[in-house]
Amino acid sequence: MPMVKNLENVHQELMEIARESNRLSHTKYTSDDVEKLQNRLRGINSQYNEGAFGTMTSDCSRYEEEGLAQVSNVLEKVHTTLHVMLSRIDDN
């Protein structure tokens, strides 16, 4: 599915964070390592929560930009991955 340009950039950044978290998960990582990835994710999450990736229609229902569902899905997966990584810190 094609994406609008602003979502392409966000999707690329999310995929980069996902790849880095995957790579990091196979090493001996610290909470600081995970926190660096979380900080990168926070900026995207803030934009998402503020509605920066979609527009509002006159009846205030959310209009879904091309690719918003895909970005939302990746965002959720990366959040989950980082959460699991943090929960496993003591097991490293």
Side-chain angles (χ1 to χ4, degrees), residues 4-14 17 38-56 62 65 68 71-72 75 79:
V4 292
K5 187 64 176 167
N6 67 329
L7 286 178
E8 272 184 44
N9 295 335
V10 169
H11 186 258
Q12 288 175 358
E13 175 68 10
L14 281 171
I17 295 168
Q38 285 180 317
N39 287 337
R40 290 172 60 190
L41 199 59
R42 267 189 204 102
I44 295 170
N45 200 51
S46 292
Q47 292 176 47
Y48 180 81
N49 288 336
E50 292 169 6
F53 306 142
T55 57
M56 300 300 278
R62 179 74 181 236
E65 296 282 354
L68 182 60
V71 167
S72 177
L75 182 62
H79 270 295

Side-chain angles (χ1 to χ4, degrees), residues 24-25 27-35 38 81-92:
L24 191 62
S25 71
T27 66
K28 184 159 178 66
Y29 58 88
T30 66
S31 59
D32 288 339
D33 296 326
V34 177
E35 187 175 334
Q38 285 180 317
T81 298
L82 294 177
H83 176 76
V84 169
M85 288 173 69
L86 277 177
S87 71
R88 293 181 176 164
I89 293 277
D90 293 335
D91 297 338
N92 275 342

